């Protein structure tokens, strides 16, 4: 049989607090990662083609 370990009441409450704090940290980290990845995708979609942007610098308006 496996050995059982006695857990004191204050140790049990400390363990529960640690687990809840770890879960909160994991949720915050996950939300942060999602926000960063969404921001990166948004920036990628807004990016202009570098060749087009460079050509626009030297484009002269045509006089009619």
């Amino acid at each position: 049989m496996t050995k059982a370990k006695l857990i004191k009441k204050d140790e049990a409450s400390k363990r529960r607090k640690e687990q809840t704090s770890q879960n909160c940290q994991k949720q915050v980290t996950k939300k942060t990662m999602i926000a960063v990845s969404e921001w990166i995708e948004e920036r990628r979609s807004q990016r202009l083609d570098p060749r087009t942007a460079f050509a626009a610098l030297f484009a002269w308006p045509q006089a009619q």
Side-chain angles (χ1 to χ4, degrees):
M1 294 189 90
T2 60
K3 294 183 181 180
K5 181 180 177 183
L6 296 177
I7 300 173
K8 297 179 184 177
K9 288 183 181 180
D10 60 333
E11 288 180 8
S13 64
K14 286 180 184 177
R15 286 184 182 186
R16 277 190 230 115
K17 287 180 183 177
E18 289 175 0
Q19 285 179 341
T20 56
S21 67
Q22 287 177 352
N23 288 341
C24 290
Q25 288 176 347
K26 287 180 182 179
Q27 289 175 351
V28 169
T29 304
K30 189 173 183 178
K31 287 181 182 179
T32 304
M33 293 296 292
I34 290 171
V36 169
S37 63
E38 288 175 355
W39 179 80
I40 289 172
E41 288 300 320
E42 182 181 329
R43 295 286 293 179
R44 282 184 184 161
S45 66
Q46 293 177 356
R47 188 180 303 169
L48 295 174
D49 179 32
R51 292 179 187 265
T52 307
F54 185 76
L57 291 174
F58 299 99
W60 291 90
Q62 294 181 356
Q64 292 181 350

